Amino acid sequence: MYTTDLTGKKQAETVAEDPKKLAAFEARVANDEFIEPKDWMPEAYRKTLIRQISQHAHSEIVGMLPEGNWITRAPNLRRKAILIAKVQDEGGHGLYLYSAAETLGISRDEMTEALHAGKAKYSTIFNYPTLTWADIGAIGWLVDGAAIMNQVPLQRTSYGPYARAMVRICKEESFHQRQGYEIMMAMMAGTPDQQRMAQDAMNRWWWPALMMFGPPDDRSPNTEQSLRWRIKRETNDELRQKFVDITTPQAEAIGLKVPDPALKWNAKRGSYDFGEVDWEEFYAVVRGEGPVAKERMQARVNAWEDGAWVRDAARAHAEKRASAKVAAE
Ligand code: FAQ
């Protein structure tokens, strides 16, 4: 079992597990039983889950920033109310996921510290700026669309708390995807300027959306083991292909052009062939070199520091209540 650090270096896990316990665990997973927090699990399984779930949680929280930018500039009250609700949903997703990760023996503070220290990742997609209102449509349609494609199989992931969190998250992401597509539909039915804005957003978000599924399978160090432990149920490339197949006709239906000259229906495969993602760009963004990566992280660190007084007050209140209870007993 290997993990990659931020520099792309592989690090071997060294924990030797009891072979009997490991065999019983693997049999349960193969039998599609959920593994629950108090069950025995191999250390590498626990670590992989902490990595994936915490990175997923960080993505939801950092993902509030690009859309949050547009709450004050939404074009009307209806759009503003919808966008506030959506951004709030993403905050909720982050919280369920942090709670699911905490059941594996890590605290929320430790996860936050790892994010702020650059040790934990979050999805590359949130390092791109939202330049126009059409970007809010493109995020809902393409980014939430890619997120759902990846997350629907995670409802059957082998770790119970993660799978259960995914059920509600998928329902909400599905609403988000539709609201994004509806923004794009309205713009494509609008003026030539609105149509140009929608196409420009499509051009900028398409390739980063394909990167959300992770590196190609032959460069994905975690996929093989994660599939074996049924943490992941489908590979990065399988999910990317499904996304292209579902999204391309949606684009065509409203007159948007997918910005990929190599995109072509392959009748033999029953799927679209498509061009190569710029993997150099992907790895650069993973390393923290995305267009607005510094601003995103600064915004999170500022929010954490500005909120210190709330955490202190909540802690003091809890301590006061606990000591009052002891005194009364
Ligand atoms: N960005 O071996 P693999 C959302 C890293 S939620 C950054 O293939 P794995 C909702 C990967 O961590 C979006 N890093 O790794 C929303 C690993 O590094 P590590 C988030 C990436 O885990 C919508 C290394 O590359 N969704 O959008 C990325 O088997 C709108 C090698 O990769 C999830 O997190 C990337 N795109 O597969 C919110 C879903 N891809 O950790 C607001 C759960 C790969 O070893 C607005 N996660 N890396 O140092 C997963 O399904 C998996 O973790 C993958 C990666 C598929 C992301």
Side-chain angles (χ1 to χ4, degrees):
M1 166 74 199
Y2 293 94
T3 58
T4 36
D5 67 14
L6 285 172
T7 59
K9 244 183 11 233
K10 280 186 172 180
Q11 298 168 322
E13 305 275 343
T14 48
V15 183
E17 301 288 4
D18 176 334
K20 266 197 191 149
K21 285 184 178 166
L22 187 59
F25 168 85
E26 294 200 330
R28 287 188 63 198
V29 169
N31 199 28
D32 268 340
E33 285 175 42
F34 280 131
I35 304 301
E36 297 297 341
K38 289 186 178 161
D39 295 344
W40 185 89
M41 62 185 81
E43 205 39 42
Y45 176 83
R46 182 190 302 278
K47 279 193 178 155
T48 301
L49 281 169
I50 289 177
R51 176 183 66 78
Q52 179 167 326
I53 303 172
S54 69
Q55 293 186 4
H56 193 165
H58 297 325
S59 301
E60 301 280 358
I61 298 296
V62 179
M64 297 166 79
L65 297 169
E67 290 176 297
N69 269 346
W70 278 88
I71 290 174
T72 54
R73 291 174 285 167
N76 57 46
L77 187 58
R78 174 173 166 265
R79 295 287 185 201
K80 192 191 284 276
I82 294 171
L83 187 57
I84 290 172
K86 180 189 190 294
V87 172
Q88 192 171 317
D89 283 352
E90 308 299 0
H93 299 173
L95 299 188
Y96 316 143
L97 289 165
Y98 283 129
S99 301
E102 279 182 318
T103 64
L104 292 154
I106 185 167
S107 72
R108 174 124 169 240
D109 283 1
E110 285 170 310
M111 289 184 265
T112 305
E113 277 160 24
L115 175 70
H116 295 176
K119 288 183 192 151
K121 299 183 170 78
Y122 60 91
S123 184
T124 43
I125 193 78
F126 302 117
N127 292 303
Y128 293 85
T130 37
L131 303 180
T132 73
W133 171 252
D135 289 27
I136 300 307
I139 291 185
W141 172 40
L142 299 175
V143 176
D144 285 273
I148 300 171
M149 191 57 74
N150 167 279
Q151 288 168 190
V152 163
L154 291 176
Q155 294 176 105
R156 293 180 298 112
T157 191
S158 56
Y159 188 56
Y162 192 22
R164 289 189 287 274
M166 277 302 130
V167 174
R168 177 162 175 184
I169 292 178
C170 283
K171 286 199 171 82
E172 292 178 349
E173 300 290 27
S174 165
F175 158 74
H176 297 167
Q177 191 267 354
R178 282 159 216 217
Q179 69 83 37
Y181 190 59
E182 201 256 337
I183 292 177
M184 295 306 254
M185 275 172 77
M187 295 194 82
M188 289 307 288
T191 64
D193 274 347
Q194 287 171 322
Q195 291 168 4
R196 267 194 296 277
M197 273 168 70
Q199 183 63 56
D200 171 61
M202 170 87 186
N203 295 348
R204 285 181 291 104
W205 289 93
W206 175 256
W207 292 105
L210 296 192
M211 293 176 197
M212 287 175 71
F213 296 96
D217 293 349
D218 56 6
R219 293 168 79 180
S220 163
N222 299 302
T223 291
E224 193 187 332
Q225 180 64 80
S226 286
L227 283 176
R228 212 155 80 85
W229 278 337
R230 302 199 176 176
I231 292 173
K232 283 168 95 164
R233 308 294 305 221
E234 292 180 58
T235 73
N236 301 355
D237 286 335
E238 284 164 358
L239 293 168
R240 191 167 11 251
Q241 178 72 61
K242 279 193 185 173
F243 176 76
V244 172
D245 289 347
I246 286 187
T247 314
T248 301
Q250 293 175 353
E252 285 168 357
I254 55 172
L256 280 167
K257 195 169 161 12
V258 176
D260 178 359
L263 185 79
K264 196 164 175 274
W265 177 249
N266 182 329
K268 216 161 129 199
R269 287 200 308 122
S271 260
Y272 283 91
D273 293 334
F274 58 100
E276 184 70 4
V277 172
D278 181 348
W279 292 113
E280 290 318 306
E281 175 178 325
F282 167 79
Y283 286 114
V285 180
V286 171
R287 286 195 303 271
E289 296 163 23
V292 289
K294 289 197 175 62
E295 289 87 333
R296 296 287 185 248
M297 203 38 60
Q298 196 56 53
R300 287 311 313 148
V301 170
N302 290 349
W304 182 251
E305 287 172 359
D306 293 349
W309 69 271
V310 179
R311 294 191 297 280
D312 289 345
R315 208 170 294 123
H317 182 64
E319 279 164 13
K320 206 165 131 190
R321 283 188 64 171
S323 53
K325 201 169 160 223
V326 171
E329 279 166 4

